[in-house]
Amino acid sequence: MNYPSRVMTIAGSAAGGSAGIQADLKTFQEFDVYGMSAITAIVAYHQEIGKNVHPQSIEAIEAQFSTAVQQVGMDALKTGMLFSKEVIDKVAAIISESKVETVIVDPVMVGKLDSKLLEDDAIDALKAKLIPLATVITPNIPEASILLDGRKLESVEDLKQAAIDLHQLGTRYVLVKGGRLEGPAVDVLYDGETLTTYEAPRIDTVNTSGAGCTYSAAIAAEMAKGKTVLNAVHSAKSFVTTAITNGFSYTEMVGPTYHAAARKFGEAHQIKVKGD
């Protein structure tokens, strides 16, 4: 029997099921890889005290990671919401010790409704300790702007320059996601030499919760199975676009992308790829 490839996610838990660990594991299942998780924080709003993020202890994070690695092992790893400098320092250390070769860093800083998901003193740790360990980083426009000290990103050309500049932080590949620009949804990938754009039609929906988590998880899954970064991004872009197209909501709140859409409806969005 050929066992599925193994992917670990170190991220926050989203109680509503649309993002974070939940989105990652759903994505892993759709890509037929074996998913494992280490939860860094529980994201759930407490109506009486107004608290939205409930961090887990360093010991709990270490225990989850070591248990998964000892019981299963891993072929790729992705990170999501890490929230604090202390957690970033620890995650960087355990990634270094694990010697895993494929690391996708989704530098989660700002939520879908602009909620703050990373403490201020953690940004420097992210840039100095975690990003240099990454095979690919996947910032959206607000996150790329923060990493570039508040630079405004208002066009695809801005995204290209942002990708070039972010590459200097030490990652092998930078994928800057342009979903918040007007017009087609264009993402820019840079490997230190070549800029590659991935273009998909813009979907008119607000139900995109978890799209970024899903995208990075899909890249990790495809790379765990042996795909190149360029091909993994292409496949992930198609998958997440289909998931967004079929997004829905049970309430008046922003709803999730639909992870089962490609499998259930047989859809595969065509992605225009162009290299510069």
Side-chain angles (χ1 to χ4, degrees):
M1 178 178 176
N2 292 322
Y3 297 111
S5 298
R6 306 155 295 178
V7 188
M8 161 72 76
T9 172
I10 306 176
S13 169
S18 63
I21 290 287
Q22 287 81 351
D24 292 344
L25 293 177
K26 290 173 184 178
T27 302
F28 295 159
Q29 191 72 16
E30 294 299 324
F31 278 88
D32 192 28
V33 297
Y34 186 89
M36 300 161 288
S37 64
I39 296 172
T40 59
I42 297 170
V43 181
Y45 183 71
H46 194 292
Q47 294 185 354
E48 292 184 9
I49 64 174
K51 188 176 181 180
N52 192 48
V53 178
H54 310 269
Q56 300 299 289
S57 68
I58 294 296
E59 290 79 9
I61 296 168
E62 288 177 313
Q64 292 172 87
F65 183 85
S66 62
T67 297
V69 170
Q70 290 174 15
Q71 290 184 354
V72 180
M74 63 180 169
D75 300 301
L77 177 148
K78 70 149 287 190
T79 66
M81 177 185 150
L82 303 179
F83 187 62
S84 70
K85 178 183 182 299
E86 184 182 24
V87 172
I88 290 172
D89 288 345
K90 176 53 64 176
V91 169
I94 61 179
I95 288 175
S96 295
E97 293 166 5
S98 73
K99 295 182 172 56
V100 60
E101 294 184 359
T102 299
V103 178
I104 313 303
V105 173
D106 187 3
V108 176
M109 301 178 185
V110 180
K112 189 62 62 180
L113 300 178
D114 293 327
S115 55
K116 184 178 177 181
L117 300 176
L118 187 68
E119 294 180 336
D120 291 337
D121 65 352
I123 296 173
D124 288 341
L126 180 71
K127 293 165 72 172
K129 295 187 177 181
L130 189 58
I131 288 178
L133 300 175
T135 311
V136 189
I137 63 170
T138 63
N140 59 25
I141 287 177
E143 291 157 354
S145 177
I146 292 170
L147 290 171
L148 293 168
D149 301 319
R151 182 192 305 177
K152 290 186 178 180
L153 305 176
E154 299 175 331
S155 68
V156 174
E157 291 304 313
D158 289 346
L159 301 190
K160 291 179 179 180
Q161 189 59 53
I164 291 170
D165 294 341
L166 288 171
H167 188 267
Q168 297 177 15
L169 294 176
T171 179
R172 287 172 52 197
Y173 291 80
V174 179
L175 179 68
V176 182
K177 301 175 294 187
R180 302 196 184 202
L181 297 179
E182 295 182 357
V186 178
D187 305 329
V188 176
L189 181 71
Y190 183 62
D191 64 358
E193 296 182 359
T194 302
L195 287 161
T196 305
T197 58
Y198 297 81
E199 179 181 318
R202 179 166 301 283
I203 310 303
D204 185 18
T205 179
V206 297
N207 297 319
T208 58
S209 180
C213 305
T214 299
Y215 199 166
S216 57
I219 294 170
E222 289 289 72
M223 290 187 65
K225 295 190 291 184
K227 280 196 175 183
T228 64
V229 174
L230 273 73
N231 289 336
V233 172
H234 184 276
S235 176
K237 175 81 166 174
S238 178
F239 178 83
V240 76
T241 302
T242 300
I244 291 170
T245 300
N246 294 277
F248 60 90
S249 181
Y250 292 105
T251 65
E252 294 180 356
M253 299 177 70
V254 170
T257 57
Y258 189 23
H259 294 87
R263 168 172 52 85
K264 187 171 182 179
F265 303 122
E267 299 177 6
H269 274 82
Q270 295 300 311
I271 307 299
K272 297 179 181 179
V273 182
K274 182 179 179 181
D276 291 347

